[in-house]
Structures are given as C-alpha cells and as structure tokens.
Amino acid sequence: MQTAPQTTDELYEALRENDRRPYGRTRTVTAEELAETAELFDEPVPLIHALLELQEAYTYGSEPRKSPVVFARLLNLFDEQPDVFDDRLRHQLFWRFKWVANALRSLPEIPLASLRQWQTEMRDRYEQAGLDLQPYYGQAYQLAAHVGEDTALAYELWAARTRSRLSDCEACETCERALYHLAAGDDERALRAWEPVLAGKESCQEEPARSVSYALLPLLRSGRTDEARRLHLAGYRGCRRNPSMAGEIGRHLEFCALTGNEARGLELLAENRTLFGEVDSPLAQLDLLTGVEVLLARVEALGHGELPAAGFPGRSWTVASLRAEVGRRADDLAARFDKRNGTSAHTDRRAARLGRAPLLESLELTLRPRTLEDVVPATAAAASAPAEALPETPAELMKRARELDEQGHPDAHACWARLRTLTTDPEYVHPDDPQVGPLVRLRADLLEEEATLAERKDAHADAAALYEEAAGLYEDAGLAGHAVVARARAVLAVTQVVPPRPEGGGEEGAASEGAEPEGADPETRATAARVAALTEAHAELTSLHEQVSGSAPYLQARLLRLRVSARGLLLQASGNDEHVPPILAEVELLHDFATRHNLTGQIAAARLLRATTHAMAGDLPTARAEADGLVDLLRTDGPAWHLPRALSLRGKIQLGLGDPKAAHASLTEAVRLAAQWPAEAVDAPTLHGELAQVCMSLGRHDEALRHLTRSAELELRAGTRFDAFCTYSNAAQLSLDMGRIEDCIALLDSLLVEPDVVDGELDDRLVAQLRLTRARALRAGDDLKAATAELVSLAAESAGWDDDPGSHAMIAAEAAILLGEAGEFAKAREAMDQALTAHALDPRYEQVSNALRELARLQAQQQGPEGLTGARALLDDAGRIADAARAAGFEAHGRSLDTALAYEHGRVNAYAGAYDEALAALEKALGLLGEPGEDPDVAGEWAECVRLSGLVEGVYLERTAPALARVEAAAARLKSLGHTEAAESLTELADRIRDEE
C-alpha cells in the first residue's frame, strides 16, 4: 500500500481494491495495514469492515493461527456495540463462527476439549440469536470426521436437517456428503452425490476445485478416465499456487503419480514450490506433503531418485532427499494430530494414500505427454540407438563409423557420438593401426560430424567454422580430398548466414541477375545480396570440385551434390526460372556419376533433387511422376532411410495437386517408416508437421493436433527449442480453435514454466504470443479475471517494443476490451489510449477500430445513459481511424469501417436510450450497406441492421406502422433472394411489433 487512506471513503475504496487481489502474502499484508489504518478513524463500522477483510485474508491465505484472533476482536465489538452491525455485517459475523472452527481444527496444538468448547460457544450464540442449528451440526460432523470417531451418528444429525441461511453453500455440503460415502468405500455413491458440482451446476469460492481433487481417483477406479483427465486439467488450474488449496494440489500430484504422469507431477510440484514456505496450516501441510510424498516415492521407485526436485527453500533437493524430508515432516504432523485427537485416523489415512498402487500405467493428461526420461538434465543431445550393436574397440568403431558415413547411413551418428565420448576420456589411447589413421584424422572426423549437427540446428556460422577447422586437420592428416569436401561444405554454410551486402559491391553474380536500382527496399537489396552470395559460392564449389577429381568416388559425388544444392538455393532465393535448366543439368551429372560408381545413396539423392526442382519450378505433374519413380526405386533397391523423405516430397506434391487424401497416405507412411531411424536423420519433426498440415486440409483436427505436438516434442529433444516453441504455439492455437480450452491452457502453462522462458532466454515475442493465446483461452474458459490480468501485464511489457508498435496496439486494444467486460472503463480507456498512440506509429486500422467499437458497446450496454458520453468518445476515435484508413486506401476484410461504425452508433445510442439518434445511425448504416444480394454474409449483416432499426422504431419509439413496413418489406426481399434463415429474425420481430400494438 503506497499511501494510507486519509478518509473512510478512501479506506473503503482500498478495501474494495484489495478484495480484487488473489489470496496470498500481498493481499494479507495490505489487509493488515488497512486494519491498522481503520483503528485511527475511531469509528466502529470501518473497523469492522477492515477486520472482516483481514480475517478473510488469513483464512484463505492459509494462516489459521491468526484468523481466530481477528474474530475475537469482531465478537467483542458485536458484544459491545451490537447496533452498529447491520443485517449484512451480522450475517457475516455468525457465518464466520465456522471459519474459526475450521481454523482451530487445523492446529494440532489446540486441545480437543477446546475444539468442543468452541462448538458449544457457537451453539449457544446461535440459539441466543434465534438462528437455526444446522450449521452447528455441520461443524460437529466435520470434527467427528476429522477425529475419526462417531462419524455415522454425527453425519445423520447433520444431513437429516434442513438447510438454513447460514448453512455452508450447497456445493460445499455436497462435497461433505460425497466424502462421507467415499470414506465408507462407496465410490459410486460418492460420485452420484458429486454430480451437480462436477457438472458445474453448483459452485463457490472453493468449489468445484475441492471436490474435483477428491473425485479424481474414484473416477479412475470407476473407469471414467476421460472425465478424470478433463477435471484434472480444469481443477488444477482452479487451485494452482493457492496456499488455501494446498491439500487439493497434493491430491493432483497424487493423481499424476498414479496415472504414469510422474514427469507432469514434478512439473506441477515446481510450479507450486512457494507453498512449502507459504502454507501455515498444519492440516493443509499434512495433506499437501502426503500428496508430494506419493509422487516422489513413485519417481524414486522408477529409478529416478537423483532427479532434481523443487522443495523447501534454502537448499537444493533431489527426489530421494526431498522424499525423506517430506516423509519425516508429514509423519510428525500426522502423529501430532492423532495425539491431540486420541485416535490413529490421520496416520491410517496417510498410510492408505502412500500404499496405493498405480491405477493406470499411462494416461495422456495433456497435449505434451512427457516421461521421466524427458526431464533428466541433458549435457548434450544423445544420439539415437543404432540398428546394430556398436563395435567395442575404438579401432573397429572408427572403421564402422567411416564405412557408414561413406554410405550416408544414419547410424554413423551414433558411432561418432560414442567415439566423441571415448576421446574425451583423459586416459584415451589412440589405436596404433594404419587402417584407422592418426588421431588428427579422428579429430577432423569428429569436427565434421559436429558441424553437421550444428547445421541441423540452423547454427550455420558455427558449422562453417567447424568445417574449416576440420579441413585444416584433414590436410594435416594428408587427406586432401576430405579437406576439400569439408571446405566446400563451409562455403555453402556461409551462404546461409551471409549479411546483406551493400549495393554496388561489384560482385559478378549480382550483375548477372541485374543490379538493383538505387532506393530499392531493404528486402529487395537482401535478396540481391543473397543471390550474389550463392552465385559466388556455386562458382567456388565448381572450382573445388575440380580439385577432387582423383579422390574417392563418394567424395566427388558429395561435391557434385553440394553444387546442385547451391543451384537449388539460388532458384529458391531469386524465384527466377532460368536457374531450372542448370540445376537439372547438374542433377544429371550427379545421377550419372553415382550410377557409374554404384553409389545408391547419391542416386536416390539425385532423383530426389530432380523431383524437388520440378516442384519448385511449378511443374507438379512431372514432379509427381519423378517422386513416384523414386519411391518405387527405394522400395526395391534402397537405401531405406531415404524413403521417408521421398514419401514426404510426394505427399507435398500431391497436396499441391489437390489430392489431400493421397498426400495423407504418403505422409502417414513416411512417419511410420521414419520411426525406424534416428529422428534427426530423417527430419521426423518436419514429417509430423507436414502431416499435421494435410490433416488440417482434411478436417482431421484431432489428428493434426497430435502430429503438431509430436513434432514439437521431437524438436525439443533435438535441441531446436525456438522451432519447438513455435510449433507448440501453433498447437495451442489449434486446440483453442477446436474448443479444447483446458488442453490449450495446460499446454501453455507447461511451456511458460520452462527454465529458458522463466529466465528470459527464449525470444520475447514468441513468449508474448504464447501468453496472448493463453489469455484468449482463459477468456474462452470464462476466467475473465485471469485473462484480463494476463493481457494487462502483456500490454505493459509490449509498450517497450519500439520496433513493433503495431503489435503493442493490438495487445493493448484487446486488453481494453477485457477491462471493459470487467466493468473497469477508466482503465479500459487508458489501455485504449495506449493502443491509439501505438497505432499512430504503425497503423492497425481494422483491429483498433473493432476494439474501439466493441468497448463503446460494452460501456453503453453496462452503464446505460451514464456511459453514453464515454462510449461516443470511443466511437469518435473510431471515426477518425475510419477517415485515416479511407485516405490511406485501406480496405477492411469484412464490412467497411464506415458501415460498422454507423451500425455501432445505432447500437450504442439504443443501449443508452437515445432512440432517435440510434435510428438515424442505423439508417445511415443501411445506406452504406446497400441492397442485399446473393452473398449470405452481406445479407445477414443487412438483416441484422434492419432488425435493430425495426426494434428501435417499432418497440422503443412506438412507431408501429413504419417499423412494420420496413421489417416486412425486408423479410420479403430476403426470402426472394433465398436467404430464408436471415428473414426468420425479421418475421419474428414483425410478430412482436404487432403483438405490442
């Protein structure tokens, strides 16, 4: 709290503002400060309000020791000055007797006799006030259930009584009834009792999150796994990071442990690590720690006790060490409760939870299923296991690696990875074997392999440097041919990172393409520079090729292939079809050379390049024929590891030819065959991404989502994290579009807690996109408060994007709309002003105009006549944007900005009761729309405009005759054009107008 309130009005406003904060230390500290301030006013009512807020903060901030102290002050005030408590404050006071009972029950140091004494106090106070005793019996049952004695009798005395005004809400009582049946071992009866809460028909501040956490395991035991999965995602989101729901979080961790989702459990544990220090309730601690121990024990039993785990602050923990500490603390807590209660109930319940066996071997909970192997800290990307066992001796391993490398076999990578491990050992001794050559050659081989892996991650500058270093070592080893090939690969790698060169650089290649004129835009200059660099690289590769004429055939073939690659990149960069014949000519050189020397891998590569060139040139039928021939060749003659790429190319060509079903078949086979080879060797992430695209074109959205998430996970494993997060972003958006809101949120929550995201190492714009999608998903899931908070925070951060004000404009505008939906129009206006400022620097005519109109509608709809001035000011801003868009020649994607603005003027004025102005604006909108035609979208807009005009004129202005004439003529017009659905709303309105005559 920056400045203490100086008046009671300021105090009440500060209390309202604090009430909007989430429970936790910030809200609690502020409530404490406000209570101290309220004391200074020497007025009982403001103090009562401040103490009520403080007790609520302690109760839901999991600080049960402090809640009874605050309530004692409230009770003293009531006893001293009962008249200052109006009906609402009196209701609050008697309601909170239950809060104190719950708080005392959660503290093992409070004697059982004191708990019963408080219940007697509650009963006496209720009787004196003439209140029904059902809430008292509810507390008596909860104490009996806690102690574990006389539960059945206490349940009957409570459950048989009629509810009263001070009874717990129906959702909370439903949960208590269900828990009674669950304790009796009757899962089915418990789930029947829970049905209205789990279905969302009954809810409160704690529900349905509390019920969901208890219902997860009964649902699994009843075979309702899909429902359990859905409720886990939604229920966990309702309690994450909330200290007052620590026990619920513990049960979600237990659910993960018992369904094969240990990795997700560790992720959720890390997300809630602050609870170890924030939860002051011993009973909540016991509940949380037992769930944590179930998870950690399962992870340790699976052999991963040394994994890092998030635990108590002040030190680092492994799974094993944290499990031991958690177990010690939880055992102590259970023993303290049992000693206080004189039973063994808590120790027994804890033992039952710890003794449960997994209910399912595997249940896919999220769009990002992970195993414990996925969370093992990696020092480097591990090579995939080869098809055959690796030789044991270094000499044999080197021979095998080089043999496979000559063939281009994917298993060569595993051999090189093993050799790299061996050579880093200080005790490594290089074999004295002429067949494997000196150590310097092995070092060159390993550098070349490292460069290849760097290229796969698009680290082209690093790759070029590594190739050059390898070339030097090859020369030292007397392998001139290998040195030339390595240097050639460096030449091509450099072209992928070369910066745009200044105009007039004098490169011969630039002259051959036609020098760009002065004043060319940056993109054109960059393209010209890239074309020049590739032309120069091809010339250098041709020269290098001449230097390996006497080398081994496989080395010469590699130079030929590099030449073709440079030509292909040149075609791709320039878009000039004059490069197609030279590419095909060099492809033929490669194919003929490979055929003469029986280099099967290069034969396949040549044919793949030929088909690709025809596809790039737009000759898809020829490309399809080439791809079909290549697939047939590879099926019969191999090499088999080229088949996934060939099928992928054929699938893309088939999609381009308008045959998505054939494309789906080709890419499905490609994905299936790719699983037989190391993912990096066959580019499995790309295959899954391409198949996802085809699935989308076929309307198979669930299948597309599976392939997108699989592609992203493979990219993560390969270390290409930026690409992985981009793919996950697409998957999140698709899941949101499909209405799988909880899946979308769970996926994004998982991504946003990744270390490189938290530490700010990932691209900030990509992270912003993930957060923006999450905010939209939260809004779609009716969590307006969380969605608004996320968008407001994102708008504040994007305000610093000096290089991209347009994106900030759209984010701020979207934040303004959510603030408007929440009724915070002053803050919404501030956000919209930010959007307008950014829009002036980088116009986003349609998006900002849409937001202004929507915010105006919200203000008029919620505030009526009082909001009309603010709403009209927003529409005036939208009018200025429409004028600027018209001057700039901008055309909206849907209806024109002017038409949309006129219609919104009509709606806003109608909401505010300015009906004459509304009708005039709507008639203007109709004039701008013109007469409807065959387009159903235009007809629908026209019909809606007529409908609102008729409603204003016939119902609100009571001009029945002209309104009926307008509406009936419009309905007839629409029917004559075949727009019967659009006409129905007008026919219904005409009937309503006649009925009200």
Side-chain angles (χ1 to χ4, degrees), residues 498 501 507 509-514 516 524-538 566 569-576 579:
V498 64
R501 300 180 182 178
E507 295 89 345
S512 69
E513 288 298 319
E516 294 299 328
T524 301
R525 291 198 302 272
T527 299
R530 180 158 170 72
V531 167
L534 286 165
T535 303
E536 183 179 328
H538 182 267
L569 290 170
L570 191 54
L571 171 61
Q572 193 175 46
S574 67
N576 193 333
H579 293 293

Side-chain angles (χ1 to χ4, degrees), residues 635 640 643-644 647 668-677 682 687:
R635 289 192 199 282
L643 192 50
L647 287 164
T668 299
E669 185 181 3
V671 165
R672 178 178 61 81
L673 295 175
Q676 303 171 13
W677 303 100
V682 292
L687 293 179

Side-chain angles (χ1 to χ4, degrees), residues 939-940 943-944 947 967-968 970-975 978-992 994:
E944 171 56 22
R947 188 197 68 80
V967 171
E968 290 177 338
R973 172 70 173 149
L974 289 170
K975 288 178 181 178
H979 302 303
T980 53
E981 186 175 345
E984 285 180 10
S985 63
L986 299 182
T987 303
E988 291 172 1
L989 176 59
D991 292 339
R992 177 183 172 183
R994 274 191 291 269

Side-chain angles (χ1 to χ4, degrees), residues 557-569:
R558 287 184 181 178
L559 258 299
L560 278 169
R561 186 169 172 179
L562 289 169
R563 285 172 55 180
V564 178
S565 296
R567 287 277 192 194
L569 290 170

Side-chain angles (χ1 to χ4, degrees), residues 228-437:
R229 173 189 180 278
R230 176 179 60 80
L231 289 173
H232 163 68
L233 295 179
Y236 170 71
R237 183 164 60 83
C239 59
R240 63 197 291 258
R241 301 176 185 170
N242 186 342
S244 70
M245 306 205 84
E248 284 75 4
I249 292 168
R251 285 185 284 278
H252 280 280
L253 297 179
E254 182 178 355
F255 175 75
C256 290
L258 301 181
T259 56
N261 287 279
E262 298 85 4
R264 173 168 169 79
L266 291 177
E267 182 181 287
L268 301 190
L269 177 62
E271 188 177 10
N272 292 278
R273 70 179 72 208
T274 58
L275 298 186
F276 285 110
E278 290 180 350
V279 178
D280 193 45
S281 164
L283 189 60
Q285 286 178 7
L286 175 60
D287 222 1
L288 169 65
L289 294 179
T290 301
V292 171
E293 188 175 0
V294 171
L295 170 67
L296 297 176
R298 178 63 181 159
V299 175
E300 191 173 8
L302 293 172
H304 292 280
E306 295 309 308
L307 277 177
F312 300 97
R315 59 161 287 187
S316 298
W317 298 92
T318 64
V319 165
S321 65
L322 182 60
R323 186 202 61 75
E325 180 64 16
V326 163
R328 183 187 66 78
R329 296 193 188 201
D331 283 343
D332 178 65
L333 285 169
R336 289 173 62 196
F337 278 111
D338 285 344
K339 182 179 179 180
R340 190 267 303 274
N341 298 337
T343 65
S344 62
H346 289 276
T347 298
D348 294 343
R349 291 166 191 166
R350 178 169 148 70
R353 290 177 70 181
L354 292 172
R356 286 188 182 119
L359 296 175
L360 290 174
E361 182 177 338
S362 176
L363 173 63
E364 189 171 306
L365 291 180
T366 72
L367 296 175
R368 194 188 177 196
R370 308 178 77 200
T371 66
L372 290 171
E373 284 71 21
D374 293 322
V375 298
V376 173
T379 55
S384 302
E388 299 179 9
L390 298 179
E392 294 186 3
T393 67
E396 292 303 316
L397 192 57
M398 276 180 261
K399 292 175 186 176
R400 180 64 174 157
R402 288 165 184 159
E403 176 189 351
L404 293 174
D405 191 66
E406 286 185 20
Q407 302 170 21
H409 197 293
D411 285 351
H413 298 295
C415 295
W416 293 127
R418 175 61 180 152
L419 282 166
R420 183 179 295 106
T421 302
L422 291 174
T423 55
T424 54
D425 189 330
E427 298 182 3
Y428 172 75
V429 177
H430 192 70
D432 185 11
D433 184 346
Q435 292 186 354
V436 301

